[in-house]
Amino acid sequence: MAFVVKKTINEKDYYYLNENKRIDGKVKTKTLAYLGKTKKEAEEKAKEFMEKMEKKKFNEEEKKEEQKKSEKLQTEISVEDLAIFCKRRGFVYQSADIYGGYAGFWDFGHLGVELKNNIKKEWWKFHVWQRKDMKGIDGSIITHPLVWKASGHVDSFSDIFVVCKKCKKPEKIDKKDLGKIRCPKCGGEFDNENAKEFKLMFKTNVGEKDETYLRPETAQLIFTNFKSVYENARMKLPFGIAQVGKAFRNEIAPRDFLFRCREFEQMEMEYFIVPDSKCVYEIPNVEMSVLSAEAQEKNETPMKMKIHEALKKKIIKKDWHAYWLATEFSWFMNLGANPNNFRIRQHRKDELAHYSSDCWDLEYKFPFGWKELEGIADRGNYDLSQHQKFSKKDLSVFDEESKKKILPQVICEPSLGVERAFLVFMFDSYFYDDKRENVVLKLHPKISPIKAAIFPIVKKEEFEKLCENIFEDLKSEWNIVYDESGSIGRRYARNDEIGTPYCITVDEESLKNKDVTIRDRDTKKQIRVKISELKATLKKLINEEIAFEKAGKLVKT
Ligand code: GAP
């Protein structure tokens, strides 16, 4: 137990936070923090320090516990069943459904739009707001056609289109596989003689004559704006530029629900460094399943290892690359994804783009196999030098250390599709509870579409009025709902199924004691909390700053 002590030295008071600990049978006093020179300051600092310690302890210990629990609780479903679930619950609809749909295009419903926005918001917070070395932009979807010439998309952004002789289904394949592989659906032979190159960019017209494209990635807008951001935001290398926005690809075979769409969103960033400089951050030493290019050539399985070990053994060659792989993995883990469904896979030589010296994908175990979730490529200075060449503008910057002008190197380009992240969070949180006989969507509260549902225990004017006041108070902070229809059990089930983490109930006691119950979606435990403290308590719960049992008085159920 920590306590505040005052020490008087040369007639001046100094306050400290001390702790007694029994070490080898003896009680020893350890100073935890210096608290200042006045009692008031000391009390405030001690409170702050203890809260931080409590939070740290909770984050480290209880989060691990929670994670362990959730690993056991995920229910596997097929991508088709997930699509049905998403439609029924208002997450995702086929675009133009009433006209029979339109392949590769999807609309997000009243819950889907909230989940998608929350994913993007959490990505932005983590990658932009919480970093001093990152700035965001929002580039245009249609831009100058030379951008796409310079980037190489006009000449080489294409797939080979073949049709299966047996099942007649079209398939996109890599150029190198032409004549070597068979149809993955039926094993039939492809009509290789009639294979066609298929350009993936959507063409569009601007004005009467100009022809350009809808952007197939957000990245190029980062490169074209690089110098402006560098100068106007007064950045210094190393730094990054992030962007979230729509991208369009005329995919030959859109499939697997949201996995391969023709219109989708990307969350991308380019990280610029002085060429070949060392990583300036501590690399989070996470454990991951690692599949190197060499292991693939030897037909070996992935190995579980700490990222520091992978770097030491030179499986991952560059420290910056290890840093971003670990950071991107951590983003998913912080939002409750299941680590067992993730691995990193290095691109084989025959997969690497000509400008890229190394590329790793963060892969996810989808029900249809291990697939790319996020590409994390080392792009060198290819893009900046191409744009420099085509625009005839100097994109180099002054390096203080070498006192020379240099063209920065893009050591990492983490590029993640919002729809693929959406699928990951849905798959990892989908759980059918046999006892409750309903789905419990165990989404992390930070990304849950609805943060809390408010119910009167029964329909009664006083209860409804109190619910209304609570709704008014909470609505400025979060998306919340009021629900009075059906039995309380039915209302809990409805909210479990759409991932609402907390249900707030107003009952007889609420009128007397000015408090409510909060029910935790995953454990069904309930606590009583004063209405005056409800907003602050919910905030702590959503941000994982307190364990549910400690957030109020536990109710015996
Ligand atoms: N700027 C780099 C780039 O665009 P990419 O590997 O082509 O690289 C990056 O795409 C990410 O965008 C992928 O890892 C995936 O998450 C997402 N993505 C790509 N094509 C997609 C599609 N057709 N549908 C949904 N997401 C897609």
Side-chain angles (χ1 to χ4, degrees), residues 104 153 157 172 216-220 223 247-251 253-255 257-270 347 355 359 361-362 366 371-377 379 383 413-421:
H153 284 86
F157 194 51
K172 79 160 191 172
E217 61 172 16
T218 67
Q220 293 308 319
F223 296 121
F248 304 82
R249 294 184 189 178
N250 200 2
E251 296 284 357
R255 66 164 61 117
F257 188 30
L258 299 174
F259 181 80
R260 192 179 299 143
C261 323
R262 287 177 165 141
E263 176 178 339
F264 56 100
E265 279 190 86
Q266 288 185 316
M267 304 186 278
E268 289 196 302
M269 48 154 286
E270 306 296 334
H347 279 208
Y355 51 80
C359 182
D361 284 344
L362 185 61
F366 289 97
K371 298 277 172 198
E372 174 185 341
L373 169 61
E374 174 170 8
I376 304 173
R379 293 184 74 115
D383 303 270
E413 183 205 52
S415 175
L416 169 64
V418 177
E419 286 74 5
R420 289 194 192 173

Short mmCIF file of all heavy atoms in Angstrom, two decimals, residues 104 153 157 172 216-220 223 247-251 253-255 257-270 347 355 359 361-362 366 371-377 379 383 413-421, ligand 1:
data_model
loop_
_atom_site.label_atom_id
_atom_site.label_comp_id
_atom_site.label_asym_id
_atom_site.label_seq_id
_atom_site.Cartn_x
_atom_site.Cartn_y
_atom_site.Cartn_z
N GLY A 104 -19.38 -6.81 -56.42
CA GLY A 104 -18.19 -6.06 -55.98
C GLY A 104 -18.50 -4.74 -55.31
O GLY A 104 -17.58 -4.01 -54.94
N HIS A 153 0.90 2.69 -62.75
CA HIS A 153 -0.39 2.01 -62.82
C HIS A 153 -0.92 1.91 -64.26
O HIS A 153 -1.47 0.89 -64.64
CB HIS A 153 -1.42 2.72 -61.94
CG HIS A 153 -1.25 2.44 -60.49
ND1 HIS A 153 -0.39 3.16 -59.68
CD2 HIS A 153 -1.80 1.50 -59.68
CE1 HIS A 153 -0.43 2.68 -58.46
NE2 HIS A 153 -1.29 1.67 -58.42
N PHE A 157 -0.76 -1.88 -64.06
CA PHE A 157 -1.72 -2.31 -63.04
C PHE A 157 -2.80 -3.14 -63.71
O PHE A 157 -3.87 -2.65 -64.10
CB PHE A 157 -2.32 -1.11 -62.31
CG PHE A 157 -3.04 -1.49 -61.04
CD1 PHE A 157 -2.44 -2.28 -60.07
CD2 PHE A 157 -4.34 -1.05 -60.81
CE1 PHE A 157 -3.10 -2.62 -58.90
CE2 PHE A 157 -5.01 -1.39 -59.63
CZ PHE A 157 -4.38 -2.17 -58.69
N LYS A 172 -8.97 -14.41 -62.12
CA LYS A 172 -7.78 -13.57 -62.35
C LYS A 172 -6.57 -14.36 -61.88
O LYS A 172 -6.61 -15.02 -60.83
CB LYS A 172 -7.90 -12.24 -61.62
CG LYS A 172 -7.62 -12.26 -60.17
CD LYS A 172 -7.28 -10.87 -59.68
CE LYS A 172 -6.72 -10.98 -58.27
NZ LYS A 172 -6.20 -9.77 -57.73
N PRO A 216 -6.83 3.89 -57.80
CA PRO A 216 -6.85 2.48 -57.38
C PRO A 216 -6.21 2.27 -56.01
O PRO A 216 -6.22 1.17 -55.47
CB PRO A 216 -6.01 1.79 -58.46
CG PRO A 216 -5.05 2.85 -58.90
CD PRO A 216 -5.71 4.17 -58.71
N GLU A 217 -5.59 3.32 -55.48
CA GLU A 217 -5.01 3.29 -54.12
C GLU A 217 -4.95 4.73 -53.65
O GLU A 217 -4.94 5.66 -54.47
CB GLU A 217 -3.62 2.67 -54.13
CG GLU A 217 -2.61 3.43 -54.98
CD GLU A 217 -1.16 2.93 -54.84
OE1 GLU A 217 -0.94 1.82 -54.33
OE2 GLU A 217 -0.26 3.69 -55.24
N THR A 218 -4.89 4.92 -52.33
CA THR A 218 -4.82 6.31 -51.84
C THR A 218 -3.37 6.79 -51.84
O THR A 218 -3.10 7.99 -51.83
CB THR A 218 -5.40 6.43 -50.41
OG1 THR A 218 -4.55 5.72 -49.51
CG2 THR A 218 -6.80 5.92 -50.32
N ALA A 219 -2.42 5.84 -51.85
CA ALA A 219 -1.01 6.14 -51.62
C ALA A 219 -0.44 7.25 -52.49
O ALA A 219 0.32 8.09 -52.02
CB ALA A 219 -0.20 4.86 -51.83
N GLN A 220 -0.79 7.25 -53.80
CA GLN A 220 -0.13 8.20 -54.70
C GLN A 220 -0.40 9.65 -54.31
O GLN A 220 0.42 10.53 -54.56
CB GLN A 220 -0.55 7.94 -56.15
CG GLN A 220 -0.05 6.61 -56.69
CD GLN A 220 1.46 6.41 -56.51
OE1 GLN A 220 2.26 7.32 -56.71
NE2 GLN A 220 1.86 5.21 -56.12
N PHE A 223 2.23 10.76 -51.98
CA PHE A 223 3.51 11.12 -52.62
C PHE A 223 3.43 12.49 -53.28
O PHE A 223 4.35 13.28 -53.19
CB PHE A 223 3.91 10.06 -53.65
CG PHE A 223 4.18 8.71 -53.01
CD1 PHE A 223 3.47 7.58 -53.38
CD2 PHE A 223 5.15 8.58 -52.02
CE1 PHE A 223 3.70 6.36 -52.78
CE2 PHE A 223 5.40 7.36 -51.42
CZ PHE A 223 4.67 6.24 -51.80
N ALA A 247 -10.95 3.70 -52.65
CA ALA A 247 -10.12 3.27 -53.78
C ALA A 247 -11.02 2.38 -54.66
O ALA A 247 -11.99 1.79 -54.17
CB ALA A 247 -8.92 2.49 -53.29
N PHE A 248 -10.68 2.31 -55.93
CA PHE A 248 -11.54 1.58 -56.89
C PHE A 248 -10.68 0.68 -57.76
O PHE A 248 -9.67 1.13 -58.29
CB PHE A 248 -12.29 2.58 -57.78
CG PHE A 248 -13.10 3.58 -56.99
CD1 PHE A 248 -12.50 4.72 -56.46
CD2 PHE A 248 -14.45 3.38 -56.78
CE1 PHE A 248 -13.23 5.64 -55.72
CE2 PHE A 248 -15.19 4.29 -56.05
CZ PHE A 248 -14.59 5.43 -55.52
N ARG A 249 -11.09 -0.56 -57.89
CA ARG A 249 -10.38 -1.48 -58.79
C ARG A 249 -11.40 -2.32 -59.55
O ARG A 249 -12.30 -2.91 -58.91
CB ARG A 249 -9.46 -2.42 -57.98
CG ARG A 249 -8.35 -1.66 -57.31
CD ARG A 249 -7.37 -2.54 -56.59
NE ARG A 249 -6.46 -1.69 -55.82
CZ ARG A 249 -5.50 -2.12 -55.04
NH1 ARG A 249 -5.26 -3.41 -54.92
NH2 ARG A 249 -4.73 -1.27 -54.38
N ASN A 250 -11.23 -2.39 -60.84
CA ASN A 250 -12.16 -3.16 -61.66
C ASN A 250 -11.78 -4.64 -61.57
O ASN A 250 -11.28 -5.21 -62.55
CB ASN A 250 -12.12 -2.63 -63.09
CG ASN A 250 -13.35 -3.02 -63.87
OD1 ASN A 250 -14.27 -3.65 -63.32
ND2 ASN A 250 -13.39 -2.66 -65.13
N GLU A 251 -11.98 -5.23 -60.41
CA GLU A 251 -11.58 -6.61 -60.16
C GLU A 251 -12.29 -7.56 -61.12
O GLU A 251 -13.51 -7.45 -61.33
CB GLU A 251 -11.92 -7.01 -58.71
CG GLU A 251 -11.18 -6.23 -57.64
CD GLU A 251 -9.74 -6.67 -57.47
OE1 GLU A 251 -9.31 -7.62 -58.14
OE2 GLU A 251 -9.04 -6.03 -56.65
N ALA A 253 -12.73 -10.82 -60.67
CA ALA A 253 -13.60 -11.74 -59.93
C ALA A 253 -13.78 -11.29 -58.48
O ALA A 253 -13.13 -11.81 -57.59
CB ALA A 253 -12.99 -13.15 -59.98
N PRO A 254 -14.66 -10.27 -58.26
CA PRO A 254 -14.88 -9.87 -56.86
C PRO A 254 -15.51 -11.03 -56.10
O PRO A 254 -16.37 -11.74 -56.67
CB PRO A 254 -15.86 -8.70 -56.98
CG PRO A 254 -16.48 -8.82 -58.32
CD PRO A 254 -15.53 -9.56 -59.20
N ARG A 255 -15.06 -11.27 -54.90
CA ARG A 255 -15.64 -12.43 -54.19
C ARG A 255 -15.37 -12.38 -52.68
O ARG A 255 -14.69 -11.48 -52.21
CB ARG A 255 -15.07 -13.73 -54.74
CG ARG A 255 -13.59 -13.96 -54.52
CD ARG A 255 -13.28 -15.41 -54.76
NE ARG A 255 -13.62 -15.72 -56.14
CZ ARG A 255 -12.73 -16.11 -57.04
NH1 ARG A 255 -11.48 -16.25 -56.71
NH2 ARG A 255 -13.10 -16.37 -58.27
N PHE A 257 -17.54 -11.94 -50.14
CA PHE A 257 -18.23 -10.87 -49.42
C PHE A 257 -17.40 -9.58 -49.52
O PHE A 257 -17.16 -9.13 -50.62
CB PHE A 257 -18.48 -11.35 -47.99
CG PHE A 257 -19.34 -10.48 -47.11
CD1 PHE A 257 -20.33 -9.68 -47.64
CD2 PHE A 257 -19.16 -10.47 -45.73
CE1 PHE A 257 -21.12 -8.88 -46.82
CE2 PHE A 257 -19.95 -9.68 -44.90
CZ PHE A 257 -20.91 -8.88 -45.46
N LEU A 258 -16.93 -9.04 -48.41
CA LEU A 258 -16.22 -7.76 -48.47
C LEU A 258 -14.73 -7.92 -48.79
O LEU A 258 -14.01 -6.93 -48.87
CB LEU A 258 -16.34 -7.06 -47.11
CG LEU A 258 -17.73 -6.70 -46.64
CD1 LEU A 258 -17.67 -6.15 -45.22
CD2 LEU A 258 -18.34 -5.64 -47.56
N PHE A 259 -14.29 -9.17 -48.94
CA PHE A 259 -12.84 -9.38 -49.06
C PHE A 259 -12.28 -8.77 -50.34
O PHE A 259 -11.28 -8.08 -50.32
CB PHE A 259 -12.49 -10.88 -49.02
CG PHE A 259 -11.01 -11.10 -49.12
CD1 PHE A 259 -10.20 -10.95 -48.00
CD2 PHE A 259 -10.40 -11.42 -50.33
CE1 PHE A 259 -8.82 -11.11 -48.09
CE2 PHE A 259 -9.02 -11.59 -50.43
CZ PHE A 259 -8.24 -11.44 -49.30
N ARG A 260 -12.92 -9.02 -51.47
CA ARG A 260 -12.44 -8.42 -52.71
C ARG A 260 -13.57 -7.65 -53.38
O ARG A 260 -14.47 -8.23 -53.97
CB ARG A 260 -11.85 -9.45 -53.66
CG ARG A 260 -11.11 -8.77 -54.80
CD ARG A 260 -10.48 -9.71 -55.77
NE ARG A 260 -9.50 -10.56 -55.16
CZ ARG A 260 -9.32 -11.84 -55.50
NH1 ARG A 260 -10.06 -12.38 -56.44
NH2 ARG A 260 -8.40 -12.55 -54.91
N CYS A 261 -13.55 -6.34 -53.22
CA CYS A 261 -14.61 -5.49 -53.76
C CYS A 261 -14.06 -4.67 -54.93
O CYS A 261 -12.85 -4.60 -55.15
CB CYS A 261 -15.10 -4.48 -52.72
SG CYS A 261 -15.18 -5.05 -51.04
N ARG A 262 -14.95 -4.03 -55.64
CA ARG A 262 -14.50 -3.11 -56.71
C ARG A 262 -14.41 -1.68 -56.19
O ARG A 262 -13.68 -0.87 -56.72
CB ARG A 262 -15.48 -3.21 -57.89
CG ARG A 262 -15.28 -4.53 -58.63
CD ARG A 262 -16.24 -4.72 -59.77
NE ARG A 262 -15.81 -5.79 -60.64
CZ ARG A 262 -16.62 -6.68 -61.21
NH1 ARG A 262 -17.92 -6.62 -60.99
NH2 ARG A 262 -16.14 -7.61 -62.00
N GLU A 263 -15.20 -1.40 -55.16
CA GLU A 263 -15.09 -0.11 -54.47
C GLU A 263 -14.83 -0.43 -53.00
O GLU A 263 -15.57 -1.21 -52.40
CB GLU A 263 -16.40 0.68 -54.62
CG GLU A 263 -16.39 1.97 -53.85
CD GLU A 263 -17.66 2.80 -54.03
OE1 GLU A 263 -18.38 2.61 -55.03
OE2 GLU A 263 -17.92 3.65 -53.17
N PHE A 264 -13.77 0.12 -52.45
CA PHE A 264 -13.45 -0.16 -51.06
C PHE A 264 -12.70 1.03 -50.46
O PHE A 264 -12.49 2.03 -51.15
CB PHE A 264 -12.62 -1.45 -50.92
CG PHE A 264 -11.35 -1.47 -51.74
CD1 PHE A 264 -10.12 -1.20 -51.16
CD2 PHE A 264 -11.39 -1.75 -53.08
CE1 PHE A 264 -8.95 -1.21 -51.91
CE2 PHE A 264 -10.23 -1.76 -53.85
CZ PHE A 264 -9.00 -1.48 -53.27
N GLU A 265 -12.33 0.92 -49.20
CA GLU A 265 -11.58 2.01 -48.56
C GLU A 265 -10.25 1.50 -48.07
O GLU A 265 -10.14 0.34 -47.64
CB GLU A 265 -12.37 2.59 -47.39
CG GLU A 265 -13.43 3.57 -47.85
CD GLU A 265 -14.03 4.32 -46.69
OE1 GLU A 265 -13.49 5.34 -46.28
OE2 GLU A 265 -15.06 3.85 -46.18
N GLN A 266 -9.26 2.37 -48.13
CA GLN A 266 -7.94 2.00 -47.61
C GLN A 266 -7.54 2.91 -46.46
O GLN A 266 -7.91 4.09 -46.44
CB GLN A 266 -6.89 2.12 -48.72
CG GLN A 266 -7.01 1.05 -49.78
CD GLN A 266 -5.88 1.12 -50.80
OE1 GLN A 266 -5.54 2.21 -51.24
NE2 GLN A 266 -5.31 -0.01 -51.16
N MET A 267 -6.77 2.35 -45.53
CA MET A 267 -6.15 3.15 -44.47
C MET A 267 -4.65 2.94 -44.72
O MET A 267 -4.14 1.85 -44.51
CB MET A 267 -6.56 2.62 -43.09
CG MET A 267 -8.08 2.58 -42.92
SD MET A 267 -8.65 2.13 -41.29
CE MET A 267 -8.55 0.35 -41.34
N GLU A 268 -4.04 3.98 -45.26
CA GLU A 268 -2.65 3.80 -45.71
C GLU A 268 -1.74 4.84 -45.09
O GLU A 268 -2.18 5.96 -44.78
CB GLU A 268 -2.56 3.99 -47.23
CG GLU A 268 -3.16 2.88 -48.03
CD GLU A 268 -2.69 2.91 -49.49
OE1 GLU A 268 -2.90 3.93 -50.16
OE2 GLU A 268 -2.14 1.90 -49.95
N MET A 269 -0.48 4.50 -44.98
CA MET A 269 0.51 5.51 -44.62
C MET A 269 1.84 5.22 -45.29
O MET A 269 2.17 4.07 -45.57
CB MET A 269 0.66 5.62 -43.12
CG MET A 269 0.83 4.30 -42.43
SD MET A 269 1.71 4.45 -40.92
CE MET A 269 3.33 4.71 -41.53
N GLU A 270 2.55 6.29 -45.59
CA GLU A 270 3.90 6.17 -46.13
C GLU A 270 4.83 6.71 -45.07
O GLU A 270 4.60 7.81 -44.55
CB GLU A 270 4.05 7.02 -47.42
CG GLU A 270 3.01 6.73 -48.48
CD GLU A 270 3.08 5.33 -49.06
OE1 GLU A 270 4.16 4.73 -49.04
OE2 GLU A 270 2.02 4.83 -49.50
N HIS A 347 6.88 -11.72 -48.86
CA HIS A 347 6.67 -12.00 -50.29
C HIS A 347 7.85 -12.77 -50.84
O HIS A 347 9.01 -12.46 -50.52
CB HIS A 347 6.54 -10.69 -51.06
CG HIS A 347 5.16 -10.09 -50.96
ND1 HIS A 347 4.62 -9.31 -51.93
CD2 HIS A 347 4.21 -10.21 -50.00
CE1 HIS A 347 3.39 -8.94 -51.58
NE2 HIS A 347 3.13 -9.48 -50.41
N TYR A 355 10.16 -2.39 -57.74
CA TYR A 355 10.75 -1.30 -56.95
C TYR A 355 10.90 -1.65 -55.46
O TYR A 355 11.48 -0.91 -54.70
CB TYR A 355 9.90 -0.03 -57.07
CG TYR A 355 8.43 -0.29 -56.79
CD1 TYR A 355 7.94 -0.39 -55.50
CD2 TYR A 355 7.53 -0.47 -57.84
CE1 TYR A 355 6.61 -0.65 -55.26
CE2 TYR A 355 6.20 -0.72 -57.61
CZ TYR A 355 5.74 -0.80 -56.32
OH TYR A 355 4.43 -1.07 -56.08
N CYS A 359 8.84 -7.08 -48.80
CA CYS A 359 7.43 -6.83 -48.49
C CYS A 359 6.90 -7.97 -47.62
O CYS A 359 7.16 -9.14 -47.90
CB CYS A 359 6.61 -6.73 -49.78
SG CYS A 359 4.87 -6.36 -49.46
N ASP A 361 3.28 -9.32 -45.66
CA ASP A 361 1.84 -9.12 -45.49
C ASP A 361 1.45 -9.55 -44.08
O ASP A 361 1.94 -10.58 -43.59
CB ASP A 361 1.05 -9.99 -46.47
CG ASP A 361 1.07 -9.44 -47.88
OD1 ASP A 361 1.42 -8.26 -48.04
OD2 ASP A 361 0.75 -10.20 -48.82
N LEU A 362 0.58 -8.76 -43.48
CA LEU A 362 -0.07 -9.23 -42.27
C LEU A 362 -1.23 -10.06 -42.79
O LEU A 362 -2.08 -9.54 -43.54
CB LEU A 362 -0.55 -8.04 -41.45
CG LEU A 362 -1.16 -8.31 -40.09
CD1 LEU A 362 -0.18 -9.01 -39.16
CD2 LEU A 362 -1.61 -7.00 -39.43
N PHE A 366 -8.82 -16.34 -42.70
CA PHE A 366 -10.24 -16.24 -43.09
C PHE A 366 -10.79 -17.65 -43.23
O PHE A 366 -10.02 -18.60 -43.42
CB PHE A 366 -10.36 -15.49 -44.43
CG PHE A 366 -10.06 -14.01 -44.34
CD1 PHE A 366 -8.81 -13.50 -44.66
CD2 PHE A 366 -11.04 -13.13 -43.92
CE1 PHE A 366 -8.53 -12.15 -44.57
CE2 PHE A 366 -10.77 -11.76 -43.83
CZ PHE A 366 -9.52 -11.28 -44.16
N LYS A 371 -5.14 -15.21 -45.93
CA LYS A 371 -5.14 -14.22 -47.01
C LYS A 371 -4.56 -12.90 -46.52
O LYS A 371 -4.57 -12.61 -45.31
CB LYS A 371 -6.58 -13.92 -47.47
CG LYS A 371 -7.31 -15.10 -48.03
CD LYS A 371 -7.00 -15.33 -49.47
CE LYS A 371 -7.60 -16.63 -49.92
NZ LYS A 371 -7.11 -17.20 -51.09
N GLU A 372 -4.15 -12.08 -47.49
CA GLU A 372 -3.59 -10.77 -47.16
C GLU A 372 -4.63 -9.87 -46.50
O GLU A 372 -5.72 -9.69 -47.03
CB GLU A 372 -3.08 -10.09 -48.44
CG GLU A 372 -2.63 -8.67 -48.21
CD GLU A 372 -2.23 -7.93 -49.49
OE1 GLU A 372 -1.96 -8.59 -50.51
OE2 GLU A 372 -2.20 -6.69 -49.44
N LEU A 373 -4.24 -9.35 -45.34
CA LEU A 373 -5.09 -8.39 -44.66
C LEU A 373 -4.51 -7.00 -44.88
O LEU A 373 -5.22 -6.05 -45.18
CB LEU A 373 -5.12 -8.75 -43.16
CG LEU A 373 -5.73 -7.77 -42.19
CD1 LEU A 373 -7.18 -7.55 -42.51
CD2 LEU A 373 -5.59 -8.33 -40.76
N GLU A 374 -3.20 -6.92 -44.72
CA GLU A 374 -2.52 -5.62 -44.84
C GLU A 374 -1.15 -5.84 -45.46
O GLU A 374 -0.41 -6.73 -45.02
CB GLU A 374 -2.38 -5.02 -43.43
CG GLU A 374 -1.57 -3.75 -43.38
CD GLU A 374 -1.65 -3.06 -42.02
OE1 GLU A 374 -2.21 -3.63 -41.07
OE2 GLU A 374 -1.14 -1.93 -41.92
N GLY A 375 -0.83 -5.04 -46.47
CA GLY A 375 0.50 -5.14 -47.08
C GLY A 375 1.42 -4.15 -46.39
O GLY A 375 1.02 -3.02 -46.10
N ILE A 376 2.66 -4.59 -46.10
CA ILE A 376 3.61 -3.69 -45.43
C ILE A 376 4.92 -3.74 -46.23
O ILE A 376 5.79 -4.57 -45.98
CB ILE A 376 3.78 -4.08 -43.94
CG1 ILE A 376 2.40 -4.06 -43.26
CG2 ILE A 376 4.75 -3.13 -43.23
CD1 ILE A 376 2.35 -4.57 -41.86
N ALA A 377 5.01 -2.82 -47.23
CA ALA A 377 6.11 -2.91 -48.20
C ALA A 377 7.17 -1.85 -47.97
O ALA A 377 6.89 -0.75 -47.50
CB ALA A 377 5.53 -2.74 -49.60
N ARG A 379 9.17 0.48 -50.09
CA ARG A 379 9.05 0.95 -51.47
C ARG A 379 10.26 1.74 -51.95
O ARG A 379 10.26 2.28 -53.05
CB ARG A 379 7.81 1.83 -51.62
CG ARG A 379 6.50 1.09 -51.43
CD ARG A 379 5.31 2.00 -51.69
NE ARG A 379 5.13 2.27 -53.10
CZ ARG A 379 4.07 1.87 -53.81
NH1 ARG A 379 3.12 1.18 -53.24
NH2 ARG A 379 3.96 2.17 -55.08
N ASP A 383 8.62 5.90 -55.76
CA ASP A 383 7.49 6.80 -56.07
C ASP A 383 7.91 8.26 -56.13
O ASP A 383 7.53 8.97 -57.05
CB ASP A 383 6.38 6.62 -55.02
CG ASP A 383 5.92 5.18 -54.95
OD1 ASP A 383 5.00 4.82 -55.68
OD2 ASP A 383 6.51 4.40 -54.18
N GLU A 413 5.24 0.99 -46.08
CA GLU A 413 3.94 1.47 -46.52
C GLU A 413 2.88 0.51 -45.98
O GLU A 413 2.48 -0.43 -46.66
CB GLU A 413 3.86 1.51 -48.05
CG GLU A 413 2.56 2.07 -48.57
CD GLU A 413 2.23 1.58 -49.97
OE1 GLU A 413 2.24 0.36 -50.21
OE2 GLU A 413 1.97 2.44 -50.83
N PRO A 414 2.47 0.67 -44.72
CA PRO A 414 1.38 -0.18 -44.23
C PRO A 414 0.08 0.22 -44.90
O PRO A 414 -0.32 1.37 -44.85
CB PRO A 414 1.35 0.11 -42.72
CG PRO A 414 2.65 0.79 -42.42
CD PRO A 414 3.01 1.53 -43.66
N SER A 415 -0.55 -0.73 -45.57
CA SER A 415 -1.75 -0.42 -46.35
C SER A 415 -2.83 -1.45 -46.04
O SER A 415 -2.71 -2.64 -46.35
CB SER A 415 -1.38 -0.46 -47.83
OG SER A 415 -2.53 -0.28 -48.61
N LEU A 416 -3.89 -0.96 -45.39
CA LEU A 416 -4.93 -1.87 -44.89
C LEU A 416 -6.29 -1.49 -45.46
O LEU A 416 -6.68 -0.33 -45.44
CB LEU A 416 -4.94 -1.76 -43.35
CG LEU A 416 -6.07 -2.39 -42.57
CD1 LEU A 416 -6.08 -3.91 -42.75
CD2 LEU A 416 -5.94 -2.07 -41.08
N GLY A 417 -7.02 -2.49 -45.93
CA GLY A 417 -8.38 -2.25 -46.42
C GLY A 417 -9.36 -2.20 -45.26
O GLY A 417 -9.35 -3.07 -44.39
N VAL A 418 -10.21 -1.17 -45.24
CA VAL A 418 -11.19 -1.02 -44.15
C VAL A 418 -12.13 -2.23 -44.14
O VAL A 418 -12.44 -2.78 -43.07
CB VAL A 418 -12.00 0.29 -44.31
CG1 VAL A 418 -13.05 0.41 -43.21
CG2 VAL A 418 -11.09 1.50 -44.29
N GLU A 419 -12.56 -2.67 -45.33
CA GLU A 419 -13.52 -3.78 -45.40
C GLU A 419 -12.90 -5.07 -44.87
O GLU A 419 -13.60 -5.89 -44.25
CB GLU A 419 -14.00 -3.99 -46.84
CG GLU A 419 -14.98 -2.95 -47.35
CD GLU A 419 -14.35 -1.60 -47.67
OE1 GLU A 419 -13.11 -1.48 -47.58
OE2 GLU A 419 -15.10 -0.67 -48.00
N ARG A 420 -11.59 -5.27 -45.13
CA ARG A 420 -10.95 -6.49 -44.61
C ARG A 420 -10.83 -6.41 -43.09
O ARG A 420 -11.02 -7.41 -42.39
CB ARG A 420 -9.59 -6.70 -45.28
CG ARG A 420 -9.79 -7.10 -46.73
CD ARG A 420 -8.56 -7.64 -47.40
NE ARG A 420 -8.83 -7.71 -48.84
CZ ARG A 420 -7.95 -8.02 -49.77
NH1 ARG A 420 -6.71 -8.31 -49.43
NH2 ARG A 420 -8.30 -8.05 -51.05
N ALA A 421 -10.52 -5.22 -42.57
CA ALA A 421 -10.47 -5.05 -41.10
C ALA A 421 -11.86 -5.30 -40.51
O ALA A 421 -12.00 -5.94 -39.46
CB ALA A 421 -9.97 -3.66 -40.75
N1 GAP B 1 -0.70 1.23 -51.82
C1 GAP B 1 -0.46 -0.15 -51.72
C2 GAP B 1 -1.60 -0.98 -52.08
O1 GAP B 1 -2.63 -0.49 -52.50
P1 GAP B 1 -2.43 -3.46 -52.15
O2 GAP B 1 -1.81 -4.69 -51.56
O3 GAP B 1 -2.83 -3.50 -53.56
O4 GAP B 1 -1.38 -2.29 -51.87
C3 GAP B 1 -3.52 -2.75 -49.90
O5 GAP B 1 -3.68 -3.05 -51.26
C4 GAP B 1 -4.68 -3.28 -49.08
O6 GAP B 1 -5.91 -2.80 -49.61
C5 GAP B 1 -4.80 -4.80 -49.10
O7 GAP B 1 -3.95 -5.41 -48.17
C6 GAP B 1 -6.27 -4.96 -48.73
O8 GAP B 1 -6.45 -4.85 -47.34
C7 GAP B 1 -6.92 -3.77 -49.42
N2 GAP B 1 -7.47 -4.17 -50.73
C8 GAP B 1 -6.81 -4.26 -51.90
N3 GAP B 1 -7.63 -4.64 -52.88
C9 GAP B 1 -8.85 -4.80 -52.33
C10 GAP B 1 -10.14 -5.16 -52.84
N4 GAP B 1 -10.32 -5.41 -54.12
N5 GAP B 1 -11.17 -5.22 -51.97
C11 GAP B 1 -11.00 -4.93 -50.66
N6 GAP B 1 -9.82 -4.56 -50.14
C12 GAP B 1 -8.75 -4.49 -50.95
#
